[in-house]
Amino acid sequence: HPPSRAHTHTVTVQARRVLDERSARKRAETDAQQLANRIQHLKDEVARSARRTEEASKRQREIKKQKMESEARREHAHDGREAAMVSKKEIEEIGYFGTWVPGGGQIAPDKAKGMKKSEVMKLKAEKEAKLLKANKKRIEEIKKKRLEMAVAKKKAEEIRISKLKEQYKKKMEAEALKRAQAEKVVSKLEEEEARLIELLKEQQVQQQAAYTKLQDTIVDGEGGGPSTD
């Protein structure tokens, strides 16, 4: 008999589950890669904002120092005023950006000579009976062999299906483990992304405060222009 349809259906279902699990794992890995890219972009933005904040603060200190030095020279040397007006355009050069918001037989003629007709018929019947018995035995052997082959084939098919089930089970477990690992990475990356977004917001607030302070110093003091990104 052929293998049970139920067994074949089970193998088909397992194969589909493996494919579904693999697709879910690939989606999680794609999400993780996209998150990693966004996180790197956020890190770059945080670093850029911190650099601009430091540049603005440094320039503000330079202008303030220049102003104090200028006042000191004016008070002690009385040799004229040294002025270098700083254009508001310097604020724009640094720049500010919003929040960046995944048979038969015959009797021999020699033997038949001299025999009575009844003996010939009896001998012929015996030969035919032996032949029939031999044929019947051969048929039974053929049937038995066919049955044994069918049983062996069925057993081999059952073993094959059993191995397939085990293989798909292991594949599904492996894919599920990979998916869980990828989803765990995604979860951590999402937390890191949220943290960096808040950090960028805070950094940009500090950056804007530094620009405001620099602008106030430029308006009230004198000095050279700030460096740009």
Side-chain angles (χ1 to χ4, degrees), residues 103-108 111-112 115-133:
Q106 298 290 334
I107 299 174
K111 190 173 182 179
M115 295 177 65
K116 293 181 179 181
K117 185 176 181 181
S118 60
E119 292 176 345
V120 172
M121 294 299 294
K122 182 180 179 181
L123 183 60
K124 184 178 181 180
E126 289 176 352
K127 286 183 174 290
E128 288 178 350
K130 289 180 180 179
L131 181 61
L132 180 62
K133 184 178 180 180

Side-chain angles (χ1 to χ4, degrees), residues 43-85:
K43 287 180 178 179
D44 293 342
E45 286 293 321
V46 170
R48 186 179 293 110
S49 178
R51 185 170 61 252
R52 288 170 176 165
T53 301
E54 178 59 27
E55 288 173 350
S57 297
K58 181 180 179 181
R59 189 64 187 128
Q60 186 267 340
R61 292 192 299 269
E62 290 174 351
I63 294 173
K64 186 175 181 179
K65 181 179 179 181
Q66 290 172 0
K67 178 182 177 182
M68 294 174 64
E69 290 175 350
S70 177
E71 291 177 353
R73 285 194 295 270
R74 184 172 56 251
E75 292 176 359
H76 296 89
H78 300 286
D79 55 357
R81 298 186 59 183
E82 295 179 359
M85 299 300 295

Side-chain angles (χ1 to χ4, degrees), residues 143-200:
K143 288 182 178 179
K144 181 180 179 181
K145 188 173 182 179
R146 287 179 177 175
L147 179 60
E148 290 174 349
M149 291 176 62
V151 171
K153 184 178 180 180
K154 180 180 179 181
K155 185 176 181 180
E157 183 66 13
E158 290 175 349
I159 293 174
R160 186 185 71 85
I161 292 177
S162 178
K163 288 181 178 180
L164 280 176
K165 289 180 179 179
E166 187 64 24
Q167 289 174 2
Y168 282 126
K169 180 181 178 181
K170 290 181 179 180
K171 287 182 180 180
M172 188 164 59
E173 289 174 351
E175 289 295 339
L177 179 60
K178 292 178 181 179
R179 175 180 58 81
Q181 291 172 342
E183 290 176 347
K184 186 176 181 180
V185 171
V186 168
S187 179
K188 290 183 178 180
L189 289 175
E190 287 174 342
E191 293 177 0
E192 178 66 6
E193 182 183 34
R195 185 188 70 82
L196 286 171
I197 288 175
E198 292 302 317
L199 180 60
L200 179 58

